[in-house]
Amino acid sequence: MAMHVSSACFSVFSHRRVHKIRAVASENVTTEDDKVKLGGSDLKVTRLGIGAWSWGDTSYWNNFEWDDRKMKAAKSAFDVSVDAGITFFDTAEVYGSRASFGAINSETLLGRFVKERKQKDPGLEVAIATKFAALPWRLGRQSVITALKDSLGRLGVSSVELYQLHWPGIWGNEGYLDGLGDAVEQGLVKAVGVSNYSERRLREAHKKLQKRGIPLASNQVNYSLIYRAPEEKGVKSTCDELGITLIAYSPIAQGALTGKYTPENPPTGPRRQIYTPEFLTRLQPLLNRIKEIGEKYSKTNTQVVLNWLIAQDNVVPIPGAKNAEQAAEFAGALGWKLDTEEVSELRSLATEIRPVTGFPVENL
């Protein structure tokens, strides 16, 4: 899961400012040396990925509607990301699916975008990550393989780079982990991971896969400057200890850290229940400091908070891009690094803010 920001965040920029952001993206085209290995696997991905939660979704994003204009914007987000050298994309079988009241499956769109791009650039290598939904009626290892093959069909590929358990199941978790191992051995995936796993579950999953000689590559969790539960609950330190990469979804707190929202202009829809005017008032001192640091590096708030995560090491943020402007801005988080003092200062300022609510399944 990853956050997504509406295109309105760019309304505060002049046309000149947008061009500057695009230039930053083009200057920071990534190379093979800019990639990182996911955990102990052989899979290398860019230091920042793109989340595709909003693509096709009408239950949480896109103002509960989907049309050709939004689809073209998503396609532009994909192309601009690739142009900037960002080739790691995260999706899931439930994103945009009918089961989640979506309009079109995010996997279907991502597969279509990759295929169209490869027609122009046959040598393009894209790392696709998708996820298995641990629904209560899915039992046993075969359910994982069956769901994975369905995902491969929607994506139009024979294998994916990373397959993850989207959340812990109410039951059946042992079988799900067996299924991940089977997927690796059958050549359907290059690496496997989990998502929304606590420290205890993470250790159990790592141990079980390790017995088969398969590394647990990643744990995808909600992690941002103002949501540091992975630090506080031992998930981040466990990832570091066991050599598991932490993939951070909602890395800019669903837009709250961009500076777009104010107490007078809170987000609309479900996010308004989390990022209330009262919370946004408490957030302003931190946002002001982020802006000051950004001016030092000629970076936006968004680029600073994404770089704060990248600077943690062993963290790959995956902000969600709805359009080309957002994708270009995200690319500007690469190619530079906050210093240690700035990383510590921002964390210290953020600790004065009461944490926002995370994704509920992380507490299962």
Side-chain angles (χ1 to χ4, degrees):
M1 292 188 172
M3 77 87 238
H4 303 269
V5 190
S6 77
S7 59
C9 68
F10 276 78
S11 64
V12 297
F13 294 118
S14 67
H15 290 299
R16 183 178 179 182
R17 180 60 170 167
V18 171
H19 288 306
K20 182 176 181 180
I21 290 173
R22 289 183 185 276
V24 167
S26 62
E27 290 169 1
N28 290 330
V29 173
T30 61
T31 67
E32 190 66 27
D33 292 336
D34 295 318
K35 293 184 177 181
V36 293
K37 288 180 65 175
L38 279 188
S41 74
D42 293 327
L43 176 62
K44 284 188 174 184
V45 300
T46 46
R47 293 181 183 274
L48 181 143
I50 296 295
W53 180 11
S54 72
W55 296 359
D57 178 77
T58 56
S59 61
Y60 192 81
W61 302 108
N62 302 306
N63 295 319
F64 304 100
E65 62 183 18
W66 184 259
D67 53 30
D68 287 343
R69 181 177 58 85
K70 293 181 185 297
M71 185 167 69
K72 290 178 181 177
K75 176 62 163 58
S76 295
F78 173 84
D79 284 330
V80 168
S81 298
V82 172
D83 289 341
I86 299 173
T87 55
F88 180 40
F89 294 88
D90 179 82
T91 183
E93 62 174 321
V94 295
Y95 294 167
S97 71
R98 297 297 177 89
S100 61
F101 306 102
I104 180 170
N105 197 286
S106 173
E107 292 177 324
T108 299
L109 290 176
L110 178 57
R112 183 184 303 170
F113 297 163
V114 172
K115 181 179 179 180
E116 291 174 356
R117 182 68 184 230
K118 284 192 173 183
Q119 290 175 347
K120 302 176 182 178
D121 183 5
L124 174 67
E125 293 184 0
V126 172
I128 296 175
T130 191
K131 310 183 198 72
F132 166 84
L135 302 171
W137 54 86
R138 285 180 162 174
L139 301 173
R141 63 206 306 166
Q142 187 55 44
S143 65
V144 175
I145 299 300
T146 299
L148 172 56
K149 289 182 177 178
D150 287 342
S151 288
L152 296 178
R154 286 186 290 270
L155 287 161
V157 295
S158 58
S159 67
V160 290
E161 281 63 37
L162 178 66
Y163 196 51
Q164 308 152 95
L165 302 182
H166 205 152
W167 60 81
I170 298 174
W171 48 69
N173 290 292
E174 291 288 315
Y176 298 156
L177 292 169
D178 287 333
L180 288 184
D182 294 343
V184 173
E185 292 176 354
Q186 293 178 28
L188 300 175
V189 299
K190 291 182 179 178
V192 291
V194 292
S195 182
N196 299 299
Y197 266 48
S198 66
E199 176 188 357
R200 178 182 63 81
R201 288 189 180 277
L202 194 59
R203 291 186 183 279
E204 292 172 350
H206 177 269
K207 183 177 180 180
K208 186 173 182 62
L209 288 169
Q210 189 178 49
K211 289 180 179 179
R212 295 178 66 171
I214 297 172
L216 179 61
S218 60
N219 184 23
Q220 184 178 146
V221 294
N222 187 348
Y223 185 34
S224 71
L225 183 57
I226 58 172
Y227 190 79
R228 298 179 313 285
E231 296 177 359
E232 298 157 358
K233 297 182 178 180
V235 171
K236 173 66 166 61
S237 61
T238 300
C239 285
D240 294 341
E241 173 194 340
L242 300 178
I244 299 168
T245 298
L246 190 154
I247 298 175
Y249 71 77
S250 293
I252 53 179
Q254 300 184 10
L257 287 171
T258 66
K260 168 189 174 181
Y261 300 117
T262 66
E264 298 74 30
N265 178 40
T268 58
R271 287 176 294 165
R272 191 179 187 124
Q273 304 304 312
I274 300 175
Y275 304 108
T276 64
E278 294 76 17
F279 177 82
L280 292 170
T281 297
R282 295 194 299 273
L283 190 61
Q284 291 310 301
L286 175 62
L287 293 178
N288 291 338
R289 183 56 183 143
I290 291 170
K291 183 179 179 181
E292 289 173 357
I293 292 174
E295 290 172 348
K296 169 185 173 182
Y297 292 96
S298 297
K299 299 295 180 181
T300 67
N301 279 31
T302 297
Q303 291 162 348
V304 170
V305 296
L306 288 174
N307 192 271
W308 183 86
L309 287 168
I310 295 170
Q312 304 300 314
D313 292 328
N314 199 35
V315 175
V316 175
I318 51 168
K322 281 185 174 182
N323 54 51
E325 288 77 14
Q326 290 174 4
E329 185 174 22
F330 297 156
L334 297 168
W336 61 285
K337 194 173 185 179
L338 293 168
D339 63 39
T340 303
E341 291 75 17
E342 290 163 338
V343 170
S344 298
E345 180 190 0
L346 290 177
R347 178 183 280 107
S348 179
L349 285 172
T351 59
E352 300 176 11
I353 302 168
R354 180 175 56 83
V356 297
T357 302
F359 192 60
V361 296
E362 69 193 31
N363 295 318
L364 288 176

